[in-house]
Structure formats: C-alpha cells, structure tokens
Amino acid sequence: MTQSERDFQRQWQVMQQILGAEAQGKRPAAINSTRTLFGIKSHVEEVMEAVAAEDLARAKERIENEREKRKEQ
C-alpha cells in the first residue's frame, strides 16, 4: 500500500468517526492539521523535519565514532 493510499484510508476513518459521533449526538474530536491548503507543508512542519534530520545525523555520527573507538581498542 502506498503512502497516499494509507493517507486516504486514515482520512476516511477519521471522517467515519466524525460522522458516527455526529449521528449519535456527540461532539466530534477537534482536528488539527500541520499542513496548509492542498497538503502543502506548513513552516512549522518543515522546521520540525529539519530539526529531526539534524538530530538523526548527529546520532548517526556518534554511533560511527563509538564504532571507530571500539575498533581501535
């Protein structure tokens, strides 16, 4: 299943839950999106991804440094 199919399935499940809650007279849960209109990434999402990528790169570097130290010993 592709990412777009998974996204569609998730969105469909959310819509079903909202419609079901409304049919029962319950208040549906609030939905917050980090994407702007047409699915374009928001600035916040772009910054979060950049920070996560930097953190991952630092972690990989630390792991590689530890491996090199162990090989030297």
Side-chain angles (χ1 to χ4, degrees):
M1 186 179 292
T2 66
Q3 181 66 32
S4 62
E5 290 172 333
R6 284 190 295 267
D7 289 343
F8 176 79
Q9 290 295 327
R10 185 179 48 79
Q11 290 171 350
W12 178 242
Q13 289 173 348
V14 169
M15 287 191 303
Q16 287 177 323
Q17 291 171 354
I18 290 171
L19 290 173
E22 288 179 352
Q24 295 176 4
K26 297 177 183 175
R27 186 174 180 185
I31 299 174
N32 293 325
S33 175
T34 59
R35 293 194 180 237
T36 58
L37 188 60
F38 306 115
I40 300 168
K41 290 181 182 179
S42 68
H43 177 68
V44 171
E45 189 173 14
E46 290 175 350
V47 170
M48 287 173 39
E49 287 179 356
V51 169
E54 289 173 10
D55 189 45
L56 181 60
R58 279 191 298 254
K60 286 181 179 181
E61 185 178 334
R62 270 186 274 142
I63 290 170
E64 188 60 34
N65 290 340
E66 287 294 321
R67 285 182 182 159
E68 289 176 11
K69 286 180 184 178
R70 289 181 183 166
K71 285 180 183 178
E72 293 173 359
Q73 292 177 351

